[in-house]
Amino acid sequence: MRRIKDSRENETEQNARDAFDNYADGKHKRADIRRYEADLDENVRLVLADIINETFEPQGYKEAHIFDKKHRKLAKAPVRDHHTEAAAMLPYEQQVYDYISWRAPAVRPGLGTHAFFRFIRNELYRYPQLEVGYNLPLDIHHYFPMMDHSILKQKIANKFKKGKLRNFIYKVIDSYLQGAPLGIKIAQLFGMLDLADFDRKAERFFGIADDPERMAYWTSHYISEKILTAKTPEDEELIGRGSQFLAERFKRFAHEGLLHYFRFVDNILVMHEDKTFLRIVRDLMIMHLTRDYLFVLNTDYNVRPTWMGIRICGYTFYHDHVGAAKRNKQNLARRIKRLQKKGIEEEQIRIKVASQLGFIKHADCINLLKSLGMEKSLGKIINKRRIKPPFPGMAPDQKIHFTSIVNKCESGGGM
């Protein structure tokens, strides 16, 4: 694919204003955003001058720490830095997205987590259980902090032609001592670009089918591994067909490539029908990631049967249904129960927990929602309309359940 050329599309006032609108969407209540907007015309002029004259210098970062499931260190940049980076990249973002494999949907507009969810669910629903009977999950340890600057710059040089834009990106990379600053949008693009060529190599099984010497080596390795690790009657039946059959089987797998490969930033998932082949894929991936990218992988990368469930991105995927992670279900249930004890009405609870509820609803969790009283079905709406108010002129919604009155009294709300 052609490299991106700096065509100076980012040196217009309209681009700078559009970039700020994109960045500030949903953030207009923040104090620093309001202060920046108060003098937006002057700030737009300064941003344009930095891009045109190549005078942009990152103003540094403030550290912030979050402890959601695991510790993460964020880098908070000033609003002007965010604005400048967004304005510099905005006209070229689509070209970056086009370069990234569709099997890596993170960050891309209209895709992200929901697309990754649909990809895995549809693969398991669409294909026979035998074809996706085993899965290999890989997780890179501290992906953003461990990015090597020289390797990342080489990936950028392979994608962007020499010019202002490439120099701008290099300045952002050099502004952080180690890795990429987690907390700015351009770092998310780094996360996708850094492994974009790895995705393509993995989908083609690292080009082994095109190299006779490597093909012969891995074919021999596959046959030996298949014989040594045979446990099930199915394995014994395959071995009984002879080494020539196993060699042809591996050759077919190598030419097909990884048909069920997906990546979500630092999480890699491969599904396949042959667990021995997946072990070879595991060894090759670990070798490439550690040797070519200097990454360290978390050690829970065993090949697993898919019927046990694939746990990734807060969901557990099975062949016939999708469940939500236990931790997410518990957090939602506890929060809803706390709000119900305060006597808050169902619709207000629904608004307060909208983000958690929306996340859970993608999974097959209708029984959980019913047990929490949060399902929103046609039958429930009809039954609500059939409620007879106890007094004339009283609307059905004004009728309070006796349990709500008891909850209010128990929590000290009074009558």
Side-chain angles (χ1 to χ4, degrees):
M1 192 172 183
R2 292 182 178 179
R3 292 191 296 171
I4 297 175
K5 181 182 179 181
D6 185 2
S7 54
R8 298 189 176 182
E9 295 178 48
N10 54 7
E11 297 181 7
T12 65
E13 180 179 345
Q14 186 59 46
N15 174 72
R17 293 187 180 276
D18 291 343
F20 179 76
D21 291 339
N22 291 345
Y23 161 68
D25 184 31
K27 306 184 183 85
H28 292 285
K29 292 184 179 180
R30 297 182 183 179
D32 52 351
I33 298 290
R34 290 202 301 268
R35 287 193 298 268
Y36 192 84
E37 281 183 307
D39 197 11
L40 184 59
D41 292 337
E42 177 63 16
N43 287 321
V44 166
R45 187 187 67 79
L46 294 173
V47 166
L48 275 178
D50 283 343
I51 294 175
I52 294 171
N53 302 323
E54 296 187 85
T55 55
F56 170 71
E57 293 294 339
Q59 301 175 44
Y61 304 93
K62 292 182 179 179
E63 283 191 3
H65 298 265
I66 58 174
F67 299 89
D68 182 17
K69 193 175 181 180
K70 63 181 181 181
H71 173 251
R72 292 183 179 90
K73 184 175 73 172
L74 303 181
K76 298 180 66 176
V79 176
R80 183 176 163 188
D81 283 9
H82 283 290
H83 185 192
T84 308
E85 291 164 8
M89 293 299 300
L90 182 60
Y92 310 101
E93 283 184 7
Q94 189 57 50
Q95 297 180 63
V96 174
Y97 298 142
D98 292 342
Y99 174 68
I100 299 167
S101 171
W102 68 270
R103 297 174 184 269
V107 182
R108 303 174 72 168
L111 294 177
T113 307
H114 292 166
F116 189 70
F117 172 93
R118 292 194 303 271
F119 289 167
I120 300 177
R121 180 198 61 190
N122 294 347
E123 291 285 299
L124 292 174
Y125 286 8
R126 183 184 299 124
Y127 293 95
Q129 291 190 23
L130 178 63
E131 186 169 339
V132 289
Y134 296 93
N135 68 88
L136 168 67
L138 294 172
D139 183 18
I140 299 174
H141 182 70
H142 293 312
Y143 179 53
F144 286 95
M146 294 297 293
M147 281 185 187
D148 184 87
H149 283 188
S150 60
I151 296 175
L152 181 57
K153 285 183 177 180
Q154 183 59 50
K155 305 301 180 186
I156 297 298
N158 293 341
K159 185 55 190 168
F160 293 86
K161 289 185 177 181
K162 188 176 181 179
K164 289 183 180 180
L165 182 59
R166 194 164 83 178
N167 295 336
F168 179 91
I169 297 174
Y170 284 175
K171 284 184 179 180
V172 177
I173 295 173
D174 292 333
S175 68
Y176 209 60
L177 183 62
Q178 170 65 35
L182 185 59
I184 61 176
K185 183 176 182 180
I186 198 170
Q188 298 174 357
L189 296 178
F190 293 161
M192 301 308 293
L193 281 171
D194 198 30
L195 290 178
D197 58 342
F198 174 83
D199 295 334
R200 295 189 179 343
K201 290 177 184 177
E203 291 169 18
R204 297 193 299 269
F205 191 49
F206 303 101
I208 289 176
D210 302 324
D211 188 331
E213 186 176 348
R214 287 198 296 160
M215 186 67 180
Y217 171 81
W218 286 110
T219 302
S220 175
H221 183 81
Y222 171 79
I223 295 172
S224 302
E225 186 79 10
K226 195 71 176 174
I227 295 172
L228 291 172
T229 60
K231 292 182 179 179
T232 64
E234 291 79 8
D235 292 338
E236 294 175 359
E237 191 271 334
L238 290 174
I239 294 171
R241 297 189 182 187
S243 58
Q244 184 61 36
F245 170 80
L246 294 177
E248 291 296 325
R249 180 180 172 88
F250 180 79
K251 182 179 179 181
R252 174 171 65 87
F253 291 157
H255 281 282
E256 287 177 350
L258 303 184
L259 301 178
H260 308 290
Y261 168 90
F262 299 98
R263 178 173 69 90
F264 194 83
V265 190
D266 59 340
N267 291 284
I268 298 171
L269 177 68
V270 187
M271 293 179 284
H272 203 269
E273 64 179 90
D274 193 302
K275 59 184 175 182
T276 306
F277 181 77
L278 274 184
R279 291 193 189 103
I280 293 175
V281 171
R282 175 194 62 192
D283 295 342
L284 287 167
M285 285 188 171
I286 293 173
M287 179 191 71
H288 280 273
L289 289 170
T290 54
R291 182 194 66 187
D292 301 339
Y293 299 88
L294 305 181
F295 286 131
V296 177
L297 281 83
N298 293 327
T299 55
D300 56 342
Y301 45 65
N302 290 329
V303 176
R304 302 182 177 96
T306 303
W307 62 263
M308 295 177 64
I310 302 173
R311 293 171 177 80
I312 193 168
C313 289
Y315 298 100
T316 305
F317 297 86
Y318 297 92
H319 288 289
D320 57 352
H321 70 282
V322 181
K326 180 179 179 180
R327 179 170 171 270
N328 293 332
K329 291 189 290 187
Q330 287 178 338
N331 289 341
L332 175 65
R334 288 165 181 163
R335 190 176 178 193
I336 289 175
K337 290 301 181 183
R338 283 197 299 267
L339 294 172
Q340 288 174 343
K341 286 183 178 180
K342 292 179 180 178
I344 300 175
E345 296 297 326
E346 177 186 330
E347 196 58 34
Q348 291 301 315
I349 295 176
R350 196 185 301 277
I351 293 171
K352 288 180 178 293
V353 300
S355 60
Q356 291 175 283
L357 204 58
F359 189 88
I360 291 291
K361 276 188 173 181
H362 285 82
D364 300 315
C365 293
I366 185 62
N367 290 330
L368 172 66
L369 298 178
K370 283 183 177 180
S371 65
L372 296 174
M374 286 289 109
E375 86 280 9
K376 200 169 186 178
S377 62
L378 179 61
K380 187 175 181 180
I381 295 172
I382 293 173
N383 289 335
K384 193 172 183 179
R385 290 177 179 173
R386 289 175 177 172
I387 295 175
K388 294 182 179 181
F391 304 106
M394 184 178 180
D397 289 342
Q398 292 178 297
K399 185 175 179 180
I400 300 175
H401 290 283
F402 179 74
T403 55
S404 299
I405 299 174
V406 173
N407 288 336
K408 284 183 179 180
C409 294
E410 289 180 349
S411 59
M415 292 294 295

